[in-house]
Amino acid sequence: MFKINFNEPIHVHFIGIGGISMSGLAEILLKEGFTVSGSDRSASEMTNRLINCGANVIIGQKAENITDDIDLVVYTAAIHPDNEEFKMAQTKQIPMMTRACLLGQMMKNYRIPIAVSGTHGKTTTTAMISEILMKADLDPTITVGGILDSIGGNIRVGNSPVFITEACEYTNSFLEFYPSISVILNVETDHMDFFHNIEEIRTSFNQFAKKLPDDGLLVVNGDMDGFSSITADLHCRIKTFGLSEHCNYRAINIGYNMLGNGYYDLLIDGKQTLHIELSVPGAHNIVNSLSAIAVALELDIKEEDMKAGLLAFGGTKRRFEYKGEKNGIKIIDDYAHHPTEIKATLHSARNYPHKDLWCVFQPHTYTRTKAFLHDFADALSLADHIVLVDIYAAREKDTGEVSSKDILDILVNEYHKDAVYTPSFEEAQTYLLSHCQENDLLITMGAGDVVKIGENLLI
């Protein structure tokens, strides 16, 4: 196994360097003195930022990009063996590793590596903890799966032993990681193009927790189904969070302000301690914040810094992000693409001032849409009006087995909702402009490019 050592910089080439995670890792290596090159299919803000940081970024993936001076090639799961650069690296026998493997290797260069996992909430919770760490002047290195305004992007390179990252279960990639503190926010059915069932997913999270050393810490949701199987046979310390009496970190006296942002009183081991105020909406973010508090206090961060960090966190881009107002209609964008996330977002919207709630939903991947067809309809039924657009394929191909119209049929025939399907973004925009009214709340929702609909409405 090739090992990354920050004291011995080498030349690393990234195939697909413009991805939000790959670009972050590339930037860390640049600032640690590594030579970094990479390629991507098109230019973007990420590739431009890397060029400004000193990377050699090539638009277009071709064999000649793999030069003899490259010591290591890094690639993502989206890169297939027939990729020209991938094949050339193999031909030249250059060491290769996945993005997840590189991230795991990089974690070994920090004394306090923190990994945040879960089916939902990884980006938000990673950002919450990051804000707390910065308020406490711990100077962390951060890699987060969204754009965080306080660090001007998705990456921050610090000069301390503290490193924090998201840990995704897809393809078991987080089993490549080496954290000393891990967070498990929730474990639900997802990524059914890889996992076969919920038991297999829970086994994966159990294996992730077992990566912790004996003196490591697992911060885990004490209320989730399958808790005992996920925490079975662990030797590390365990702290639980949630709303039940048995949880170490618990919220009581929960309320919401006029913008839907939560506040509550914190119980630690049954004793009331602090009043917590958040700058993000929704009950799900109250639970997320409990895990962030557990990490912070276990690191001996002062209570005032912890509270200030949570209050400073106003969300990341594409997480209940306010985009603007058009004709008195407030437009929000949200990354939710799993039924549980959709429900959480739409429940959050109930506490936000509005007349009617509109949801424009773009399903993400055919596999997920087929697996959760009725669950999607059930979650979307929380909105007053639903506009469906075509499925965002991402890494998959359309086999014709499922479409957005299948969700529409369930919404109309079983839930009797006001729902429509529009084949194009332009038709969706025209429909919304003619039907939304003043004081309505419009949420564009999905992990694809549905955000463009709301942005185009504001032009």
Side-chain angles (χ1 to χ4, degrees):
M1 168 70 71
F2 196 96
K3 295 192 182 197
I4 292 290
N5 185 341
F6 283 0
N7 295 318
E8 298 175 6
I10 58 173
H11 180 179
V12 181
H13 182 85
F14 291 80
I15 307 177
I17 198 168
I20 194 159
S21 179
M22 290 278 273
S23 63
L25 300 182
E27 189 169 334
I28 291 174
L29 292 183
L30 280 166
K31 292 185 178 177
E32 291 291 342
F34 285 65
T35 299
V36 171
S37 62
S39 62
D40 218 303
R41 293 178 180 176
S42 58
S44 65
E45 284 185 31
M46 299 295 186
T47 56
N48 292 337
R49 177 180 172 122
L50 287 170
I51 290 169
N52 291 333
C53 289
N56 176 27
V57 178
I58 307 152
I59 303 306
Q61 294 174 346
K62 42 193 182 292
E64 53 262 39
N65 294 343
I66 305 300
T67 54
D68 292 336
D69 61 330
I70 293 171
D71 299 301
L72 174 68
V73 170
V74 179
Y75 60 96
T76 69
I79 300 301
H80 299 292
D82 61 354
N83 178 281
E84 288 188 32
E85 292 185 21
F86 189 100
K87 289 192 294 184
M88 181 55 72
Q90 286 185 318
T91 299
K92 292 190 172 188
Q93 297 185 323
I94 298 172
M96 302 175 72
M97 67 172 60
T98 63
R99 176 206 63 83
C101 185
L102 172 64
L103 179 49
Q105 287 291 316
M106 290 170 66
M107 292 174 85
K108 290 184 174 183
N109 290 270
Y110 297 87
R111 185 166 55 82
I112 308 174
I114 305 166
V116 180
S117 72
T119 311
H120 326 291
K122 293 184 290 293
T123 296
T124 293
T125 306
T126 302
M128 282 180 173
I129 298 172
S130 298
E131 293 284 6
I132 294 170
L133 294 171
M134 290 188 290
K135 283 292 181 185
D137 294 325
L138 291 186
D139 195 18
T141 294
I142 300 164
T143 171
V144 61
I147 303 302
L148 186 58
D149 286 341
S150 60
I151 63 175
N154 67 311
I155 191 75
R156 180 188 190 273
V157 181
N159 292 295
S160 81
V162 181
F163 176 87
I164 182 165
T165 183
E166 295 180 33
C168 181
E169 73 275 17
Y170 183 57
T171 68
N172 285 326
S173 62
F174 62 179
L175 300 185
E176 303 278 2
F177 293 2
Y178 298 92
S180 63
I181 299 175
S182 290
V183 177
I184 298 180
L185 296 165
N186 38 63
V187 178
E188 295 184 24
T189 304
D190 198 8
H191 301 303
M192 300 312 289
D193 56 330
F194 178 75
F195 295 110
H196 293 99
N197 50 50
I198 186 62
E199 287 74 24
E200 192 173 287
I201 297 170
R202 287 172 182 156
T203 298
S204 181
F205 275 90
N206 173 254
Q207 292 173 341
F208 169 66
K210 285 180 177 175
K211 300 281 289 186
L212 286 163
D214 288 354
D215 61 349
L217 171 68
L218 175 65
V219 175
V220 57
N221 187 334
D223 291 336
M224 65 182 172
D225 292 338
F227 173 85
S228 58
S229 63
I230 293 163
T231 56
D233 303 321
L234 298 183
H235 300 289
C236 62
R237 292 185 298 125
I238 299 175
K239 292 291 182 180
T240 59
F241 65 91
L243 302 181
S244 300
E245 290 185 4
H246 64 266
C247 293
N248 298 116
Y249 291 84
R250 181 183 171 214
I252 62 169
N253 302 326
I254 294 170
Y256 302 91
N257 65 20
M258 63 181 296
L259 294 177
N261 298 335
Y263 57 83
Y264 59 92
D265 292 324
L266 173 68
L267 293 184
I268 302 178
D269 294 327
K271 296 180 181 177
Q272 188 165 329
T273 57
L274 304 168
H275 180 71
I276 303 296
E277 295 183 6
L278 304 178
S279 297
V280 285
H284 60 298
N285 278 324
I286 287 175
V287 177
N288 289 337
S289 72
L290 290 169
S291 70
I293 289 170
V295 171
L297 297 185
E298 290 292 325
L299 289 174
D300 294 323
I301 289 174
K302 294 178 182 177
E303 291 176 352
E304 56 264 35
D305 290 332
M306 181 269 294
K307 290 181 66 174
L310 285 176
L311 191 59
F313 175 65
T316 58
K317 293 203 179 293
R318 301 224 60 209
R319 269 73 177 182
F320 211 86
E321 180 188 5
Y322 177 75
K323 303 295 290 186
E325 189 170 319
K326 175 80 169 186
N327 300 334
I329 305 157
K330 290 183 175 64
I331 298 175
I332 303 285
D333 180 62
D334 197 275
Y335 191 72
H337 55 286
H338 183 281
T340 300
E341 296 167 349
I342 294 168
K343 281 188 175 182
T345 299
L346 295 180
H347 276 300
S348 299
R350 287 180 173 178
N351 296 308
Y352 197 94
H354 67 277
K355 183 184 172 187
D356 277 7
L357 175 59
W358 290 76
C359 181
V360 183
F361 181 59
Q362 180 186 46
H364 189 261
T365 75
Y366 300 101
T367 314
R368 184 180 282 116
T369 306
K370 184 179 178 182
F372 297 120
L373 199 60
H374 282 81
D375 297 307
F376 277 131
D378 182 61
L380 290 167
S381 70
L382 294 173
D384 298 307
H385 314 278
I386 304 102
V387 176
L388 293 154
V389 296
D390 283 329
I391 296 169
Y392 188 83
R395 55 187 174 268
E396 297 181 349
K397 292 183 179 179
D398 185 3
T399 62
E401 293 181 71
V402 67
S403 77
S404 296
K405 291 180 182 178
D406 295 316
I407 302 175
L408 177 72
D409 289 342
I410 300 170
L411 281 167
V412 172
N413 296 323
E414 296 184 23
Y415 288 89
H416 309 293
K417 298 298 296 188
D418 176 34
V420 297
Y421 161 75
T422 55
S424 69
F425 282 8
E426 291 76 15
E427 288 169 276
Q429 289 155 206
T430 300
Y431 182 86
L432 292 164
L433 282 173
S434 62
H435 288 77
C436 289
Q437 299 180 9
E438 187 176 0
N439 297 321
D440 283 353
L441 178 63
L442 169 63
I443 302 179
T444 55
M445 186 179 289
D449 56 355
V450 68
V451 60
K452 293 177 182 177
I453 291 176
E455 292 175 342
N456 289 338
L457 288 173
L458 293 169
I459 295 174

